């Protein structure tokens, strides 16, 4: 069911939501969170499609904030709010409100969104494109317990990572980080199978893909080893090589779907490592609403340190991660750490 409202208010939108629920026979609200999507008209459709698919796992009220650009000074001075309310089959398993802001109301989007948030439920704010440098300081970002950005959508993602690290606030996360969760899990599982010390690593992937840098920084931060970043033709991440005292460990994915795991002394294994859709990434991020300390530690390691030998004692693991020495023998020197399973899987 769809209800179109022109030149409306937040109060009228709330009434339309109640009216829509009653019309389809579901007056009770069974949603677990509010997802606020801040985007432009060009990317609104894809973002909303991903959110609707993710709502099968996380029933939510989705508020899509579209800031429309006014063409003339007269239009920019006139404030107007249009809304499209969707309930039932048109809104996945939750509710959807598409908000189109015009004129001066664009600068006060938080005052429109605040009355529409579900009471006593967490709020997640997602910028598919054009995210602010400091999401926590953004008026809309300040409404959320979690703030999701995507540096892959940035024109210059590597400097963007540095800006994200400088402005990081607990609760921030990045879909470029979410994309490497299967890689981190697979590498942690591979290290569980050997009794060797990791001495160096190399991460290979396409240019201008921040997931490659994030995986390299995670390895360097967790293992306290030099990590080299290499370029390939893609797609995405293509290979990770770990140099160990027992021989190399290689995880190679050339086609974007099926990878080969090679461990010295063991037969090669084919593992599923497909590139995931945006809906899967958002669904993963909505599973947790606490700060991601592992992401924060990797992000703050710094792109400029890749390829350089790390110094000092290894960093302490967060509460959500577990320590694992780079060798699995008790007599090994504990100076280096391997990523534990809990650190790899979010």
């Amino acid at each position: 069911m769809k209800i179109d409202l022109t030149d409306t208010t937040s109060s009228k939108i709330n009434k339309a939501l109640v009216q829509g629920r009653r019309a389809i026979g579901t007056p009770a609200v069974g949603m677990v969170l509010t997802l606020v999507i801040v985007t432009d008209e060009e990317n609104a459709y894809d973002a909303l499609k991903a959110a609707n698919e993710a709502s099968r796992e996380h029933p939510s009220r989705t508020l899509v904030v579209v800031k429309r650009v006014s063409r003339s000074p007269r239009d920019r001075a006139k404030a107007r709010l249009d809304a499209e309310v969707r309930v039932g089959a048109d809104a996945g398993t939750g509710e959807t409100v598409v908000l189109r802001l015009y004129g001066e109301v664009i600068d006060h989007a938080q005052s429109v969104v605040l009355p529409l948030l579900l009471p006593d439920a967490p709020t997640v704010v997602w910028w598919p494109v054009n995210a602010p440098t400091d999401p926590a300081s953004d008026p809309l970002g300040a409404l959320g317990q979690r703030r999701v950005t995507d540096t892959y959508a940035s024109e210059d993602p590597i400097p963007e990572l540095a800006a994200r690290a400088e402005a990081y606030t607990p609760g921030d996360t990045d879909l470029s980080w979410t994309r490497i969760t299967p890689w981190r899990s697979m590498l942690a599982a591979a290290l569980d199978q050997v009794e060797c010390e990791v001495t160096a690593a190399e991460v290979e992937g396409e240019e201008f893909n921040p997931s490659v840098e994030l995986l390299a920084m995670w390895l360097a931060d967790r293992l306290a080893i030099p990590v080299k970043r290499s370029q390939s033709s893609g797609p995405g991440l293509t290979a990770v090589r770990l140099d160990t005292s027992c021989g190399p460990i290689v995880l190679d994915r050339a086609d974007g779907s099926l990878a080969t795991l090679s461990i010295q002394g063991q037969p090669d294994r084919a593992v599923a490592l497909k590139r995931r859709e945006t809906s899967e990434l958002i669904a993963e991020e909505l599973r947790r609403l606490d700060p991601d300390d592992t992401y924060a530690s990797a992000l703050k390691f710094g792109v400029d340190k890749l390829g350089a030998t790390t110094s000092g004692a290894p960093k302490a693991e967060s509460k959500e991660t577990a320590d694992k020495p780079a060798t699995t023998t008790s007599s090994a020197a504990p100076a280096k750490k391997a990523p534990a399973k809990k650190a790899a899987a979010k």
Side-chain angles (χ1 to χ4, degrees):
M1 179 179 180
K2 295 183 181 180
I3 303 174
D4 290 324
L5 301 172
T6 303
D7 200 4
T8 186
T9 64
S10 297
S11 177
K12 293 179 180 178
I13 294 171
N14 268 320
K15 291 179 180 178
L17 285 168
V18 175
Q19 175 188 344
R21 288 198 299 268
R22 289 176 177 172
I24 63 175
T26 55
V29 179
M31 289 156 288
V32 298
L33 59 88
T34 303
L35 175 62
V36 180
I37 305 174
V38 188
T39 185
D40 54 22
E41 198 70 63
E42 178 184 358
N43 296 278
Y45 175 82
D46 291 337
L48 185 53
K49 181 181 178 183
N52 284 342
E53 291 176 2
S55 70
R56 298 172 185 172
E57 182 177 340
H58 309 278
S60 59
R61 173 176 290 180
T62 303
L63 306 177
V64 184
V65 180
V66 180
K67 300 179 180 180
R68 300 296 297 268
V69 178
S70 300
R71 297 182 179 180
S72 67
R74 180 180 300 174
D75 291 339
R76 286 193 289 271
K78 182 180 179 181
R80 194 179 95 212
L81 169 64
D82 293 343
E84 181 182 326
V85 178
R86 304 179 185 179
V87 293
D90 292 313
T93 59
E95 300 172 340
T96 298
V97 181
V98 181
L99 303 166
R100 290 183 171 86
L101 283 57
Y102 301 81
E104 294 180 347
V105 74
I106 290 177
D107 298 326
H108 306 281
Q110 73 279 7
S111 64
V112 175
V113 171
L114 185 59
L116 301 176
L117 301 180
L118 289 172
D120 302 322
T123 299
V124 178
V125 184
W126 172 33
W127 291 267
V129 294
N130 302 325
T133 302
D134 187 355
S137 297
D138 183 85
L140 285 173
L143 300 176
Q145 285 75 38
R146 292 274 284 175
R147 295 162 294 277
V148 184
T149 59
D150 191 355
T151 50
Y152 187 76
S154 172
E155 292 185 4
D156 204 353
I158 306 309
E160 190 80 9
L161 286 176
R164 290 274 179 267
E166 186 175 349
Y168 175 82
T169 301
D172 293 353
T173 192
D174 190 335
L175 292 187
S176 294
W177 170 257
T178 316
R179 289 183 179 94
I180 63 174
T181 299
W183 285 82
R184 295 189 294 123
S185 299
M186 194 63 63
L187 291 170
L191 288 172
D192 280 340
Q193 302 176 38
V194 298
E195 299 180 358
C196 308
E197 181 180 357
V198 183
T199 57
E202 181 178 0
V203 181
E204 180 185 89
E206 64 184 0
E207 191 177 5
F208 305 118
N209 189 324
S211 294
V212 182
E213 271 74 20
L214 283 168
L215 182 58
M217 290 189 290
W218 174 71
L219 287 170
D221 180 57
R222 288 289 139 209
L223 296 173
I225 57 172
V227 179
K228 179 182 178 182
R229 200 274 198 218
S230 300
Q231 291 185 11
S232 70
S233 57
L237 268 163
T238 52
V240 175
R241 177 189 175 94
L242 302 177
D243 294 332
T244 76
S245 57
C246 302
I249 297 175
V250 180
L251 184 59
D252 190 339
R253 185 189 69 177
D255 61 358
S257 60
L258 191 65
T260 301
L261 177 63
S262 303
I263 301 177
Q264 189 76 18
Q266 300 182 19
D268 292 351
R269 281 166 283 180
V271 295
L273 206 61
K274 72 180 183 70
R275 305 188 73 190
R276 298 184 292 169
E277 300 292 335
T278 304
S279 58
E280 298 177 76
L281 304 177
I282 285 295
E284 178 182 328
E285 285 301 332
L286 295 181
R287 290 181 199 132
R288 58 175 304 162
L289 297 174
D290 57 315
D292 190 343
D293 295 329
T294 308
Y295 164 69
S297 182
L299 182 67
K300 293 179 179 179
F301 179 84
V303 179
D304 56 325
K305 295 180 182 178
L306 293 180
T309 303
T310 55
S311 60
K315 297 182 180 180
E317 294 279 4
S318 63
K319 292 181 180 179
E320 70 173 270
T321 61
D323 286 343
K324 179 183 182 298
T327 68
T328 56
T329 57
S330 58
S331 61
K336 300 185 185 294
K337 292 194 259 181
K341 288 183 178 179
K342 292 184 179 179
K346 294 174 65 180

